[in-house]
Amino acid sequence: MAVNSNPSRFYIGSAYYPEQWPEENWQKDIALMREAGFNVVRLGEFAWSTIEPEAGKFDFDWLDHAIAALAGAGISTVMGTPTAAPPAWLVHQHPEILAVDENGRRVQLGNRCHYCVNSTEFHRAARRVVKALAEHFGPNPHIVGWQLDNEYNRYCYCDNCRKQFHEFLKSRYGSLENLNNRWTTRYWSQTYNAWEQIPLPIGPHNPGLMLEFKHFVTESYRRFQHLQIAELRPKLASTVWITHNFMEWHDGYDHYRMTEELDIASWDWYVGTGHLDYQLSGTAHDLARGYKRRNFWLMETQPGNVDWKPLNNKVNKGETRAMAWHAIAHGADAVLYWQWRSAYGGQEQYHGSLIDQSGQVRPIYREVQQISRDIAKVTDLLSGSKPVAEVALLNCYDSRWSIQWQRHHQDFDYVSHLRHYYRPLAARNVSTDIISADAALDGYKLVIAPALLIVTPQRAANLKAFVENGGHLALTLRTGMKDEYNALLPLRQPGALAELAGAEVEDYYALFDPVPITGEDWSGVSRIWAERLKLRDDATRIIAAYGASNGWLDDQPAITAHTYGKGQVTLVGAYLDDNSQQRLLDRLIRTANIQPDLDTPPGVEARKRIRSNGQEILIVINHTRTEQHIPLPWPVYEHLSGQRFEKEIRLAGYEVAVLTRA
Ligand code: GAL
């Protein structure tokens, strides 16, 4: 569909819950939103009991009024389908729609997402409410997009889910014989001779079964999501998009599969405790941008503080603005705060908001107002622009799950390891895409595949073609160990990639003590993990070797480089300390001839967004609290202040600059 993926305007706003307030309050709220410079709010995503107070009886008047009043103030609406909050009457009539937890207990009404995603009765109720919303609000010109549900997150272990799991396995494996083989079920007498014998995994289980359960959960949510899309799509204008609000590195399902049918991706970003660490949060923005490989919406972010951490500090004055610009620099086309106003009751009474319970603006309101003013100044400039990266980090949910269940070292965490490759790139302002391990790799100079445990024949072929055509590939530890059924490959690591790497893994070691390691012009340690590499080709070069440690690793190759076709493959068997990792990534950046977006002092981030006409916009953010001097390679025009700078720009703490070449 011709979705407006390059919107002609930027959006700023918040989640708004008019159903929590008498209608006479709304005008005051809306006037304050207007003064804040808002042009969008999200409505309705938890309002099922107000939208449909009884089965089949709908009340849309209040929403009609709210949308019209907002539109009157120039504020568009993102409409949420309310299925994350099945109402009391529904649960009372059909208690079987409540999910069953791992201990066999039905979850309770009163929080969110308490439904069984496969419940027929729940599907019926969800379809009914979404259909009614679609028919009534589908043609509404003030609605720019729809959000389905909110933060899918629950697993259900009811009998119905188990039956459906069996159907899922039947269609995937065809026969029990095949399934038994793939899962090596003779091991510990797990051989199945009827589909009904197969359990839903609770706790550690057969690796094949565990992986398929994750696939089943993904397919269950896809089906549920599709049911809503099928009702909505035919009723929407072609420019109105559909999304879901995802949670960054949530591991409940495969987000690439989940976003296939959505028009744009959106996500909610909360710092929680502490402060913005842009080299960490950058991964989450780039992850969201990678789902659809296009700009995304930041559908929720914290105005100051959250309420669900052990310590809910407010971020510093100025930091919220830095957060907004950080998101935009990484490809957000909208920034929405959660939430507009603190409700008197409900579970989130202490959460940050722009308007407090008395209806007065909190101090942070002024900062958000400034963000709106900033955005208004550069909307035309930024419209249609997007980050463009020469480096890709591959992300694979199957590999992540598999490692998470069999970490082998308690401190080995898939996402931390991926971030260990991201951080040195971020420190150099190298734009990076985080994309599916199955995505096309055209246009990248450097591809890093952190802990790509599962290597399918298709993936191996993709990576091979990439390197043959001149790409630089970095493979890391734990790569190429398993197939798509979570079984060990009958090959040494990195499996089918060994030929490209010109090396293989003789053995792997979870480390009790760090192991010394010496590179070409650096020395450091490997911690957590080390792989002993063996060269397979005379042309393979040793980039780093282990020093004396456990005997097995002493003097053995730790990192190798190999030329293959027109490209190069680096195989990293070590989990380096931070300094050595920076040296390694600097080497990769250099050899792959990657251009950083700008050289900046530590704590200052610079990211480019590129317009369709090729014009580069440089967003520079001082994430520190002190003034920073940033040397400029060319004279620039700064769009927020309207000033020109020749050789240097100075940014006060948390200050932001939006630059183009003068
Ligand atoms: C999000 C959720 C919101 C709100 C917010 C509080 O995860 O989508 O509804 O609960 O957290 O931080």
Side-chain angles (χ1 to χ4, degrees), residues 68 110 146 178 198 231 244 315 321 341 356-357 540 601 643:
W146 289 68
N178 184 28
I198 303 173
E231 293 300 336
H244 171 75
V315 294
R321 180 162 172 255
R341 182 170 180 161
D356 68 19
Q357 63 284 358
T540 309
Q643 285 176 281

Side-chain angles (χ1 to χ4, degrees), residues 33 108 112 123 154 191 201 294 362 383 447 548 567 589 596 626:
M33 285 178 189
Q108 245 192 337
R112 291 178 288 182
H123 283 186
R154 199 178 288 280
T191 315
R294 66 164 67 140
R362 292 185 193 271
S383 290
V447 169
I589 293 170
T626 51

Side-chain angles (χ1 to χ4, degrees), residues 256-269:
Y256 298 108
R257 298 278 296 152
M258 289 304 301
T259 45
E260 271 168 15
E261 231 195 323
L262 300 175
D263 303 307
I264 61 169
S266 60
W267 79 286
D268 47 22
W269 175 31

Side-chain angles (χ1 to χ4, degrees), residues 26 164 167 190 198 217 381 389 423 511 524 554 564 634:
W26 299 354
Q164 299 206 27
E167 294 307 315
Q190 297 165 47
I198 303 173
V217 170
L381 181 71
R423 199 181 267 284
L511 297 178
D554 301 9
Y564 187 87
W634 11 256

Side-chain angles (χ1 to χ4, degrees), residues 272-275 302-306 311-317 319-320 350-353 362-364:
T273 305
H275 294 278
Q302 78 189 56
N305 65 286
V306 301
L311 195 174
N312 301 299
N313 64 285
K314 281 194 203 298
V315 294
N316 293 334
K317 188 167 183 211
E319 207 174 346
T320 302
Y350 287 91
H351 202 283
S353 63
R362 292 185 193 271
I364 200 161

Side-chain angles (χ1 to χ4, degrees), residues 411-440:
D411 297 335
F412 196 102
D413 174 70
Y414 177 89
V415 176
S416 307
H417 177 253
L418 183 145
R419 286 176 177 150
H420 189 51
Y421 279 82
Y422 184 91
R423 199 181 267 284
L425 296 167
R428 299 284 185 249
N429 295 317
V430 168
S431 274
T432 304
D433 285 347
I434 299 179
I435 54 172
S436 159
D438 298 308

Side-chain angles (χ1 to χ4, degrees), residues 14 76 144 523 551 555:
S14 71
S76 303
V144 289
S523 61
D555 303 324

